[in-house]
């Protein structure tokens, strides 16, 4: 089997829609994120488990799924980056692959999002045992080299990582987007026979017109949880979110933008001003809180 490679495709995607009525916690959307085989192929033959890393504001954000369907369903009110790790039933390297996925939620009055992208994985010279698992799951044998070597990169999506590519109606002014519970809230109201491995994003699509990001596939590294730059708890951040979300005056919104711009912790698109409340320090959060409600304190 020397020099032989096996290619197999995974489908990564999500659906999201507005709820008819917000939950008692204020969650406005229902969403489901998943990984599956292409055209009904059973990837359980070579996939040991899938780990979805939700935003830390979710209870038990590390969701481990060991049996199909490999998916997570939740309710929330904001888009966020959602890393996904797929662990292989492989005694040799590679043991897993990691994808960064942008879980986007539709804007008000927009149709539901049904977004998928296809990831083509190439395993070069796998062991006979793992090769059989791949073939049983729909893998295709190729005599040539892998599509990309392990250091190759995949062209990035046009939009910045972690930001929504949902266009706003032209009649609306530039609005704010912030993040808190649910990852990011929106103020718009992710032996001997050693084997080599590489991956590529072969295609992507979305029924709602959104493009899925195609990150490079590299060996997943253990994520190091960084300390929060502020001392605010989730409840306080949620309260601030609701206060900011209730602002309608363009002049007041501009004042909020001015405060955030001083931190440099924001991303600007043609239609949105995006920032992450969880990344702001206590001083900035206090300014925002006092600005929208002079009597508010953290």
């Amino acid at each position: 089997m020397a020099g032989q490679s096996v290619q197999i495709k995974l489908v990564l995607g999500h659906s999201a829609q507005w709820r008819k009525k917000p939950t008692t916690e204020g969650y406005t959307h229902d969403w489901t994120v998943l990984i599956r085989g292409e055209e009904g192929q059973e990837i359980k033959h070579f996939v040991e488990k899938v780990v979805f890393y939700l935003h830390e504001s979710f209870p038990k954000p590390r969701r481990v799924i060991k049996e199909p369907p490999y998916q997570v369903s939740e309710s929330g009110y904001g888009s966020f980056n959602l890393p996904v790790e797929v662990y292989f039933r492989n005694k040799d390297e590679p043991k897993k692959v990691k994808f960064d996925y942008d879980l986007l939620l539709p804007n008000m009055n927009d149709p539901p999002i049904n977004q998928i992208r296809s990831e083509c994985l190439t395993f070069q010279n796998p062991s006979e045992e793992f090769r059989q698992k791949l073939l049983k799951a729909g893998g295709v044998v190729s005599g040539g080299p892998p599509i990309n070597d392990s250091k190759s990169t995949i062209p990035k999506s046009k939009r910045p990582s972690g930001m929504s590519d949902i266009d706003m109606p032209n009649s609306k002014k530039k609005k704010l987007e912030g993040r808190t519970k649910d990852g990011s809230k929106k103020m718009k109201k992710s032996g001997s026979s050693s084997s080599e491995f590489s991956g590529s994003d072969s295609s992507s699509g979305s029924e709602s017109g959104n493009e899925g990001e195609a990150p490079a596939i590299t060996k997943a590294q253990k994520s190091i949880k960084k300390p929060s730059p502020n001392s605010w708890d989730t409840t306080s951040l949620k309260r601030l979110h609701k206060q900011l979300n209730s602002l309608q005056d363009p002049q007041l919104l501009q004042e909020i933008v001015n405060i955030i711009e001083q931190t440099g912790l924001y991303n600007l698109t043609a239609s949105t001003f995006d920032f992450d409340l969880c990344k702001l320090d206590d001083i900035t959060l206090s300014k925002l809180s006092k600005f929208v409600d002079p009597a508010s304190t953290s």
Side-chain angles (χ1 to χ4, degrees):
M1 300 299 176
Q4 191 177 75
S5 61
V6 179
Q7 296 179 1
I8 194 165
K9 291 184 178 181
L10 294 177
V11 174
L12 173 60
H14 81 285
S15 61
Q17 59 279 324
W18 279 85
R19 295 176 55 88
K20 293 182 179 180
K21 182 179 180 181
T23 66
T24 55
E25 297 87 356
Y27 304 152
T28 54
H29 295 75
D30 290 331
W31 56 260
T32 297
V33 62
L34 60 85
I35 278 189
R36 60 174 172 81
E38 191 171 59
E39 298 180 351
Q41 299 289 355
E42 296 186 356
I43 62 175
K44 67 179 182 179
H45 297 298
F46 79 98
V47 171
E48 178 184 1
K49 62 182 177 181
V50 177
V51 182
F52 298 89
Y53 291 90
L54 311 189
H55 187 265
E56 60 184 8
S57 57
F58 278 99
K60 297 181 180 180
R62 183 177 181 271
R63 307 292 177 89
V64 181
I65 311 299
K66 296 183 177 181
E67 298 290 340
Y70 303 102
Q71 65 182 46
V72 172
S73 297
E74 274 287 358
S75 296
Y77 48 74
S79 303
F80 64 98
N81 180 263
L82 195 160
V84 181
E85 291 180 344
V86 180
Y87 287 74
F88 306 128
R89 300 183 185 276
N90 191 11
K91 295 179 180 180
D92 305 315
E93 292 294 337
K95 301 290 187 179
K96 62 181 177 180
V97 65
K98 181 177 181 179
F99 304 107
D100 283 324
Y101 189 79
D102 286 338
L103 192 143
L104 309 174
L105 303 185
N107 296 326
M108 186 177 293
N109 299 323
D110 281 352
I113 290 177
N114 289 288
Q115 178 172 295
I116 62 171
R117 76 176 193 234
S118 179
E119 297 285 349
C120 182
L121 311 182
T122 300
F123 297 85
Q124 187 178 32
N125 194 29
S127 67
E128 180 61 22
E129 180 182 358
F130 190 54
R131 175 178 174 274
Q132 291 300 324
K133 294 176 181 178
L134 292 170
L135 295 179
K136 197 171 183 179
V140 178
V141 176
S142 173
I147 295 176
N148 297 302
D149 61 35
S150 61
K151 296 183 180 179
S152 65
T153 58
I154 308 301
K156 294 182 179 180
S157 173
K158 295 181 180 179
R159 56 182 168 80
S161 177
M163 293 174 57
S164 170
D165 59 2
I166 305 173
D167 295 329
M168 294 177 60
N170 295 329
S171 61
K172 294 186 177 181
K173 298 287 185 177
K174 184 177 296 182
K175 291 192 175 183
L176 303 174
E177 282 192 4
R179 299 182 179 183
T180 177
K181 175 71 178 179
D182 186 0
S184 55
K185 69 93 181 170
K186 289 187 175 183
M187 293 180 59
K188 280 190 175 183
K189 208 165 191 173
S190 78
S192 60
S193 60
S194 62
S195 61
E196 298 178 9
F197 166 75
S198 68
S200 66
D201 178 23
S202 61
S203 63
S204 63
S206 170
E207 296 179 11
S208 61
N210 295 305
E211 297 180 0
E213 184 177 357
I217 299 178
T218 60
K219 289 185 178 180
Q221 300 177 345
K222 292 183 179 180
S223 58
I224 301 176
K225 188 174 182 180
K226 298 180 180 179
S228 173
N230 63 72
S231 60
W232 286 46
D233 56 29
T234 303
T235 301
S236 299
L237 289 172
K238 287 175 61 179
R239 180 170 63 247
L240 181 57
H241 150 64
K242 292 180 180 180
Q243 292 170 330
L244 294 175
N245 201 39
S246 66
L247 293 177
Q248 301 293 331
D249 189 332
Q251 184 175 355
L252 296 181
L253 291 173
Q254 184 59 54
E255 290 294 333
I256 298 296
V257 169
N258 293 340
I259 293 175
I260 302 300
E261 283 183 333
Q262 294 177 14
T263 69
L265 300 174
Y266 65 91
N267 285 301
L268 189 64
T269 72
S271 60
T272 62
F273 180 87
D274 309 324
F275 62 93
D276 189 338
L277 284 177
C278 297
K279 293 182 179 180
L280 301 180
D281 56 31
D282 287 323
I283 296 178
T284 303
L285 291 175
S286 295
K287 287 181 181 180
L288 295 176
S289 179
K290 294 177 181 178
F291 185 83
V292 298
D293 184 0
S296 173
T297 61
S298 63

